[in-house]
Amino acid sequence: MQTRPMRLGPLEDGQRVIIIGGGPAGSSCAIALKNLGRKLGRDIDVVLYEGTQYGPDSIKRVGVLAPPLVQTLENTLGVNFPCQLVARKIVGYYLHSGRYSIRLYMGGNLSYVAHNVALDAYLLGMASRMGVRVLSGRVKDIKINHHEVSVEGESGGTRGDVLVGAFGLDSFTAGLLEKVTPYRRPRALYSIMAKIPAPVEYLLGCEDYIHVFLPSMGEVEFGVVTPKLTHFIVNIAGRRVSHEALRRFLALPEVARLIPTDALAAWSTSGGLVSPPIPFPLEPARNSYGDRYVTVGDAAGLVRAYKGNGINAACVTGAKAAEVMLTAGISHEAFLYHYFHAFSDIIKDLPYGRAVRRLVLFGEGYGLLPLVLYAAGKDRTLVNVLIDFLSGHKTYHRILKDWGGVELIYRFLKGLLPWMPPARVEATKPAAEATMGRLAPR
Ligand SMILES: Cc1cc2nc3c(=O)[nH]c(=O)nc-3n(C[C@H](O)[C@H](O)[C@H](O)COP(=O)(O)OP(=O)(O)OC[C@H]3O[C@@H](n4cnc5c(N)ncnc54)[C@H](O)[C@@H]3O)c2cc1C
């Protein structure tokens, strides 16, 4: 058998990339390989394996397309943002804890709500039109040696020059890569989602806000209620979330008041749609790259700890890996210096992310978070800090540097004096903006 020469430099005309996974990370990598390759005068052969057939009833994620996804698609990937998929726009968040809520208007940084897998289909279709060979069926085996990589899938085997692991947190596939490389999957939290149909008129009457809850519930670190056009998506996250925890979350008065009682009852009695626990990464994978392999998206875990825009991170890491393969190479060194180091802001922010998570868990455990919301309701600076925390634009380190830790503690304590809590606190928006929508009527 003729072996390939060992070339770990930038990909050359005709070399082959094998991508496992056709989620946003895999498709973005494929699109960027084709786009940038053409600009550099090289035709890269891209083979992408996708093992799941998603349909209208698929429930994989919420489907919020958060900033800066529009810029990522249009500027980094060179594809149009699919406005036709947008069902609703989101202008901000409500943060709830116990009796207190605060409204955080994102100042024109809109998010969009779409069917949860619509963007995957759009990007995969785009990749296919650009000449990527999309093979249906799951990959069952991976081999990587000095000279080539090969995979065996339900739709046949392929040999290539480099492997891109874009398989999300698929346990089986992570196991395959762990067997043949030092790759170790990221630690994860789990989320359960419920799709609760509600009358369209009711949903249209709800504000264009996502509701984030930080309840004192032990197993639930946070919960989110997202209004779509025909239903609510409710998801809870934690280390060990269960359907029972979801039911208890839905019964919390502050959650129950958002969803019509009839809709909740109908969903409950019909044994409504609930996902199994779905993992999402808490921190980066170990050895997420090496000679002839690189992981992207959730498989790499290069996401801002505790922040929500995983689709954007998947697209950014997929596109960056493609650029590195075409310009720096497919060796361990190329991926270390040009791919992994490109995300050093995320890596350096990990200790801060962990500290924030511990603080939130501590606050939930001791019922302190309502006080934070109460104090923030009286201080515009604290509101801005919360907006920064939720938006994902800045690292935690940057937020603390910009606002000053001691200053924040001072403002928080000042906000608590005098401690005369009203039943509900709303802040952040001038009166004119506050009339844009109304909270679910109940
Ligand atoms: C409950 C929940 C809700 C979320 N909601 C949002 C949201 O609203 N907005 C947002 O930005 N992010 C959200 N996220 C995060 C987001 O879903 C992920 O960050 C994003 O999907 C990562 O993309 P990916 O391409 O890396 O992986 P994935 O989207 O998981 O794609 C991996 C693909 O690989 C395929 N695959 C795996 N193994 C194999 C194999 N052996 N052979 C062939 N194919 C294989 C899978 O079928 C899958 O299609 C949510 C996460 C969770 C858990």
Side-chain angles (χ1 to χ4, degrees):
M1 189 183 71
Q2 200 186 357
T3 55
R4 289 158 190 256
M6 185 168 165
R7 287 185 313 205
L8 298 177
L11 287 173
E12 293 172 12
D13 196 39
Q15 283 199 287
R16 181 177 293 155
V17 180
I18 303 174
I19 301 177
I20 305 179
S27 296
S28 297
C29 187
I31 290 170
L33 280 167
K34 284 290 181 190
N35 264 344
L36 185 58
R38 273 175 204 153
K39 276 189 201 148
L40 295 170
R42 296 174 228 159
D43 187 16
I44 306 300
D45 184 16
V46 185
V47 180
L48 184 152
Y49 284 84
E50 173 49 59
T52 311
Q53 297 274 342
Y54 293 105
D57 284 335
S58 300
I59 177 162
K60 176 180 180 184
R61 63 172 83 90
V62 178
V64 176
L65 309 178
L69 188 65
V70 177
Q71 287 80 357
T72 301
L73 294 188
E74 301 200 338
N75 304 341
T76 310
L77 284 183
V79 302
N80 289 329
F81 178 76
C83 298
Q84 68 280 11
L85 302 182
V86 171
R88 154 165 224 167
K89 69 177 188 314
I90 294 292
V91 300
Y93 296 84
Y94 272 91
L95 199 52
H96 305 263
S97 193
R99 297 161 59 216
Y100 296 101
S101 319
I102 191 160
R103 180 158 55 176
L104 303 170
Y105 175 63
M106 302 314 265
N109 276 319
L110 297 183
S111 293
Y112 302 96
V113 176
H115 184 277
N116 73 92
V117 289
L119 187 76
D120 302 41
Y122 171 76
L123 291 176
L124 195 56
M126 190 71 77
S128 171
R129 279 197 295 284
M130 287 176 165
V132 172
R133 279 191 289 149
V134 178
L135 303 181
S136 303
R138 282 179 69 75
V139 166
K140 298 284 188 195
D141 196 21
I142 299 174
K143 289 196 175 72
I144 299 181
N145 63 36
H146 290 313
H147 301 285
E148 66 173 12
V149 299
S150 65
V151 303
E152 272 311 317
E154 287 167 343
S155 45
T158 307
R159 292 161 63 187
D161 296 284
V162 56
L163 179 87
V164 177
F167 44 75
L169 291 182
D170 186 285
S171 183
F172 172 80
T173 321
L176 291 182
L177 191 60
E178 284 170 347
K179 248 198 281 174
V180 294
T181 69
Y183 169 79
R184 296 295 174 264
R185 72 193 80 183
R187 280 198 314 134
L189 276 189
Y190 289 83
S191 183
I192 286 184
M193 277 186 293
K195 182 175 175 180
I196 304 177
V200 174
E201 320 78 65
Y202 183 92
L203 283 153
L204 288 176
C206 294
E207 285 184 298
D208 293 324
Y209 278 73
I210 291 173
H211 295 261
V212 178
F213 296 83
L214 299 170
S216 292
M217 267 186 70
E219 69 271 52
V220 179
E221 286 195 19
F222 63 88
V224 184
V225 176
T226 307
K228 293 195 142 187
L229 270 194
T230 56
H231 57 273
F232 288 97
I233 293 279
V234 178
N235 65 304
I236 55 168
R239 279 213 172 281
R240 278 177 292 277
V241 282
S242 60
H243 289 186
E244 182 45 36
L246 177 68
R247 287 192 188 281
R248 285 196 284 119
F249 176 75
L250 285 167
L252 292 174
E254 62 269 32
V255 179
R257 59 183 275 281
L258 289 174
I259 303 170
T261 319
D262 296 351
L264 211 47
W267 170 81
S268 186
T269 48
S270 69
L273 198 52
V274 183
S275 75
I278 307 175
F280 62 93
L282 258 185
E283 57 190 30
R286 279 182 288 142
N287 306 312
S288 55
Y289 51 85
D291 284 353
R292 293 194 188 277
Y293 81 92
V294 62
T295 52
V296 294
D298 277 6
L302 289 166
V303 290
R304 293 209 187 290
Y306 232 40
K307 308 223 178 197
N309 43 3
I311 294 177
N312 186 67
C315 297
V316 169
T317 52
K320 187 70 194 172
E323 180 199 313
V324 170
M325 288 187 279
L326 283 161
T327 57
I330 54 174
S331 64
H332 179 276
E333 284 69 29
F335 290 130
L336 170 63
Y337 293 118
H338 301 277
Y339 173 70
F340 192 67
H341 282 185
F343 301 103
S344 58
D345 57 334
I346 293 177
I347 314 289
K348 283 191 199 135
D349 210 34
L350 280 172
Y352 295 91
R354 274 195 284 269
V356 167
R357 179 162 170 251
R358 274 196 210 110
L359 268 178
V360 169
L361 293 178
F362 179 83
E364 283 175 356
Y366 289 93
L368 298 175
L369 294 183
L371 302 187
V372 175
L373 297 194
Y374 174 75
K378 297 171 150 199
D379 187 324
R380 181 77 218 182
T381 297
L382 291 178
V383 168
N384 286 332
V385 172
L386 290 177
I387 289 176
D388 278 350
F389 269 102
L390 272 179
S391 72
H393 292 158
K394 288 186 187 175
T395 59
Y396 293 115
H397 176 235
R398 180 86 250 161
I399 296 170
L400 284 179
K401 212 167 165 198
D402 284 356
W403 297 107
V406 176
E407 162 92 8
L408 289 182
I409 292 170
Y410 167 74
R411 283 177 177 275
F412 170 63
L413 293 175
K414 196 169 139 215
L416 287 181
L417 298 173
W419 170 237
M420 289 195 307
R424 178 178 181 79
V425 181
E426 285 197 5
T428 78
K429 297 213 303 173
E433 289 166 3
T435 60
M436 276 172 53
R438 61 195 168 87
L439 195 67
R442 267 158 71 85

